[in-house]
Amino acid sequence: MNAIDPSDEKDGASLVVGTIRMGFGHYRIAYAACSWASGDKSRWPGGVYFHDLLSIDGPEAALIANSDNIYRKSSKMATELGGPFEWLHGYFTTSGDATSLRTTALIAKRLAPTLRGLPIKAPLIAAHSLVALAGVFADRKNIINLVIDNHPQWFVLAPNTLNLIQGPRNFFEFAARRKQLDPTDLRLAGHWIPRDNVMQAITDSDARIARTSSNIPLRVLLPFGGAGAQRKFVTSLVHALAQDIHNGKICIIINAGDHQDIRQALINTFHNANITEQQVTHINTFTQVTALADNLHNNNPISPVVLLAFNEYFPAVSATDVLARAVDILACKPSELAFYPVPKLMIRRVGDHEAFSANRANELADGTAEIRTVEHAVTYLRLFYTYPEILSIMNSAIKTNIQNGIYDGAKNAVAIAAAALWLSSSPTF
């Protein structure tokens, strides 16, 4: 954090990007906004503040952490046990009515002190509705709420802020509810994507198209989410792809995040699938991640299997953003990664709200429909290297989407913050 006295802060000299370390998605969105703000440092002479409410040692952070722990356990039970556990988790992740918004607001009021000490006149870009609402209760003005997902639920909105929306489905549905919203509080912006992933998307797409006519193995990036769910699905998928890996058809890069239990489960899977230690590269630092990305961009040979596992949160999240540019397929659940400009195999969701994010990718032709079984996922991956024209179609769609500004949401959010085109009113809860 920059050493600035908030009382001396000039209007617009700084930007605050606030998030909560709940899963990887909210962090990912905040990083995206920061990447665009950092790309124009002259606009923010007071600096860009990346503020994670969980980084503060206090009862407010404990309240958030306890809620996150419940969500993590529910996610894991839904994916590992299925059946009624999956149904119940799916119900709770799609039933965000007006009561859930009121509950979120009550929690946010308790979180307002976590924003003290930051430049009070700086615009606040919130990557979580709790942060946006906490900003309202902290009497901040010029608050932008980056609305998550592609499923309209009340609790993802923040009244008395500018709510920016990623796609038309959410925008149309929320617009229809404008009797409860100020019409100026809602705007369609585009997807929340980091600067490099947008600026280099056409170059990266052309490189992928060129690789379809080469003998380079299909590069598949398989990241775990922040809750650490999907262990059963991913380990089964890796085992099912063992022969494709041995035959040089597929190179698989797995980001286990900061989940050491998943790392060990994958090592056990490699052993059971007769994937030797010599075939696996282990990565645990961000420096190694960037080196791997450079090798991939230069088409240098790498190990058939790469396993990433970290002790810290930052590289666990950012590694996927960096490597997504250099792989052929991002195989992931329909989280915030469903909105990224890279061909995607949308594997089984964790919460039912994610189904609609897979639909968004499928409609834009940069991703498949949601793939619910391991067998279906294997079929698709083999289809990609057998009929590479499918990948060419997806990459061509990405280039069209770039030209249409589909992935410019984070860029637009920072531009709006810089222009200071609105003022938020006081909370009315």
Side-chain angles (χ1 to χ4, degrees), residues 13-249:
S14 299
L15 175 67
V16 176
V17 178
T19 190
I20 298 176
R21 193 166 62 247
M22 297 178 73
F24 287 167
H26 298 287
Y27 241 54
R28 200 177 300 284
I29 293 170
Y31 287 155
C34 284
S35 70
W36 286 100
S38 299
D40 186 13
K41 294 180 180 179
S42 62
R43 179 59 188 85
W44 311 106
V48 177
Y49 291 73
F50 183 94
H51 184 48
D52 173 19
L53 271 57
L54 266 181
S55 65
I56 298 174
D57 186 16
E60 296 86 2
L63 175 65
I64 301 170
N66 291 337
S67 300
D68 184 42
N69 287 334
I70 293 172
Y71 179 80
R72 284 174 179 248
K73 291 178 181 178
S74 177
S75 298
K76 289 180 178 180
M77 291 177 68
T79 56
E80 300 302 312
L81 301 177
F85 295 99
E86 185 176 18
W87 178 88
L88 190 62
H89 184 74
Y91 172 77
F92 281 119
T93 56
T94 54
S95 56
D97 56 12
T99 299
S100 69
L101 174 57
R102 285 190 286 270
T103 302
T104 302
L106 290 172
I107 296 172
K109 190 171 185 178
R110 293 184 60 183
L111 300 179
T114 61
L115 294 172
R116 290 175 183 163
L118 294 165
I120 191 64
K121 297 179 182 179
L124 168 64
I125 294 179
H128 196 298
S129 59
L130 275 172
V131 178
L133 289 167
V136 173
F137 284 111
D139 293 324
R140 300 188 69 91
K141 309 301 180 185
N142 298 341
I143 303 172
I144 299 176
N145 177 39
L146 305 186
V147 177
I148 60 170
D149 294 338
N150 193 39
H151 179 56
Q153 302 187 81
W154 274 115
F155 75 91
V156 301
L157 294 177
N160 303 318
T161 74
L162 177 62
N163 293 275
L164 297 186
I165 312 296
Q166 292 193 89
R169 182 178 191 270
N170 267 9
F171 181 75
F172 295 158
E173 182 61 27
F174 285 135
R177 304 176 185 179
R178 278 191 169 177
K179 284 188 286 187
Q180 292 87 7
L181 287 171
D182 186 317
T184 62
D185 284 353
L186 200 66
R187 194 176 302 179
L188 184 62
H191 299 183
W192 319 131
I193 311 298
R195 188 175 187 272
D196 285 352
N197 296 69
V198 176
M199 297 295 287
Q200 301 299 325
I202 291 180
T203 299
D204 295 340
S205 296
D206 287 336
R208 291 190 197 99
I209 293 172
R211 282 197 297 273
T212 62
S213 59
S214 72
N215 293 320
I216 298 174
L218 182 75
R219 302 168 178 175
V220 181
L221 175 60
L222 240 171
F224 277 84
Q230 293 185 303
R231 176 169 63 180
K232 183 178 179 180
F233 189 100
V234 173
T235 53
S236 298
L237 179 59
V238 171
H239 196 281
L241 291 172
Q243 198 58 48
D244 303 84
I245 294 170
H246 290 310
N247 292 339
K249 294 294 186 180

Side-chain angles (χ1 to χ4, degrees), residues 342-365:
V342 54
K344 293 172 291 288
L345 176 71
M346 299 275 84
I347 61 176
R348 186 169 181 156
R349 65 182 180 263
V350 172
D352 284 358
H353 63 298
E354 293 179 336
F356 303 95
S357 298
N359 291 346
R360 174 65 172 164
N362 199 210
E363 290 164 358
L364 288 171

Side-chain angles (χ1 to χ4, degrees), residues 369-387:
E370 183 190 357
I371 306 302
R372 300 282 294 168
T373 68
V374 170
E375 294 76 17
H376 201 186
V378 171
T379 297
Y380 256 94
L381 289 169
R382 289 174 178 165
L383 197 65
F384 289 141
Y385 69 69
T386 305
Y387 300 101

